[in-house]
Amino acid sequence: MRISFHLGLHATDEGRLIRSVLRSRGQLAEEGIHVPAPRHYRQILREALNVLGSGRASADAQAALLDAIADADRIRRLVVSHESLIAMPGWAVSEAGLYVQAPSRMRAIQNLFPDHEVEFFLALCNPATLVPILAAQAGENNFCSTCSAATAFHLTWLQSLRAIADAGLEMPVTVWCNEDTPLLWPELLRALSGYQGDAPLEGDMDLLAGLLTDEGLAALNASLAGDPRADAAARRARVSDALLAHARHDQMEMEVTLPGWTEAAVARITERYLRDWEEICTLPGLTAIRP
């Protein structure tokens, strides 16, 4: 069995991706793809990791864990999502960097299912967005709540993803930028779920439905329906045009209110993030999804 772990990360799609996959689970089940509801397994997975420690699950333990997570037979692929499985919000960012525990936690997750094919999916986001959101989620007296813009400039995803690439996990790791998610949504649904059918998935327009005005969404749907053979590049171009013309700006913009985080500082952090992303795309062992 192949097991797809969507690990978030924090401050990215806020559960929208797995909800869209869940909306399509009837179609996916026909291809042997099982998508259990997150409430069925999130606590189970955390407890299993705590019990296993640095060990490897036996065949009996794996079977018991899968029985607890999945309520279906003849499963070819299992899809799960848990954004706090490699780090709780208060521990995701520290002076040492971004998600520094990710390689060891991913290894531990792999050890839960050593007899199965495990793969990971990670969405990255601009530290200028990540740090303020985690500061709000984790409350006071955490690193993010006191992190200066100058410190955030040195929080680089390149260091974190290089550590994952160098960890010798020997399993597929797929990454993308959260800022590109509106353009990539159908591809992300298919990458995570493994769906290879030609028919649209029910969740294909879920994200854009929240980002576009009703008028803009209707116009985009009409445009796409008028050219059903349009390739991914053509679809992205139409989505980009729709977002430029019809975006709900209250859903697209975020105000950073941390002390000392000026527009110039945020711009510097963003420039560093985009520069690092270009190098991340060249790291061995990682698959980058990009427009």
Side-chain angles (χ1 to χ4, degrees), residues 52 54-58 110-112 114-115:
L52 189 65
S54 59
R56 288 165 59 91
S58 66
Q110 182 186 33
N111 285 340
L112 287 178
D115 297 333

Side-chain angles (χ1 to χ4, degrees), residues 6-255:
H6 174 235
L7 299 177
L9 298 164
H10 298 101
T12 56
D13 67 74
E14 299 177 326
R16 295 186 186 96
L17 188 58
I18 192 60
R19 288 198 296 271
S20 286
V21 176
L22 278 163
R23 286 213 323 121
S24 305
R25 61 181 168 181
Q27 290 172 269
L28 298 175
E30 295 176 0
E31 296 195 7
I33 303 165
H34 184 55
V35 191
R39 67 179 181 276
H40 290 161
Y41 57 76
R42 287 188 171 172
Q43 187 62 32
I44 292 172
L45 286 173
R46 291 197 67 85
E47 290 176 354
L49 286 171
N50 290 337
V51 170
L52 189 65
S54 59
R56 288 165 59 91
S58 66
D60 287 344
Q62 293 174 68
L65 186 54
L66 288 171
D67 284 343
I69 294 173
D71 55 358
D73 297 323
R74 298 185 298 277
I75 300 172
R76 176 175 64 84
R77 186 185 189 107
L78 179 66
V79 182
V80 297
S81 178
H82 196 329
E83 69 174 7
S84 293
L85 202 57
I86 58 175
M88 298 297 289
W91 299 97
V93 180
S94 67
E95 292 182 5
L98 302 169
Y99 292 85
V100 295
Q101 59 275 74
S104 61
R105 291 291 286 180
M106 291 164 75
R107 172 72 71 191
I109 295 167
Q110 182 186 33
N111 285 340
L112 287 178
F113 305 102
D115 297 333
H116 298 274
E117 299 178 54
V118 173
E119 61 181 336
F120 294 116
F121 294 83
L122 309 170
L124 313 182
C125 71
N126 189 344
T129 301
L130 176 68
V131 171
I133 289 178
L134 289 183
Q137 290 182 356
E140 299 180 359
N141 301 319
N142 70 85
F143 176 80
C144 288
S145 67
T146 60
C147 181
S148 69
T151 298
F153 176 78
H154 297 287
L155 295 174
T156 166
W157 284 114
L158 180 57
Q159 176 185 353
S160 303
L161 270 295
R162 184 175 284 138
I164 291 173
D166 292 344
L169 296 173
E170 298 181 353
M171 66 185 76
V173 178
T174 299
V175 298
W176 65 93
C177 284
N178 184 59
E179 294 78 10
D180 294 330
T181 298
L183 304 180
L184 302 173
W185 194 253
E187 293 158 79
L188 298 178
L189 292 181
R190 285 153 179 78
L192 177 61
S193 68
Y195 177 68
Q196 298 178 352
D198 295 326
L201 289 173
E202 290 186 34
D204 276 345
M205 299 299 290
D206 283 357
L207 183 63
L208 290 172
L211 298 179
L212 293 172
T213 64
D214 292 343
E215 176 187 358
L217 183 62
L220 177 60
N221 278 325
S223 174
L224 294 174
D227 187 9
R229 295 184 178 276
D231 61 15
R235 184 189 185 281
R236 290 171 190 160
R238 293 179 187 185
V239 170
S240 180
D241 290 343
L243 289 169
L244 287 172
H246 301 287
R248 297 180 186 270
H249 293 291
D250 61 320
Q251 299 296 316
M252 301 286 289
E253 298 174 354
M254 174 186 170
E255 182 180 2

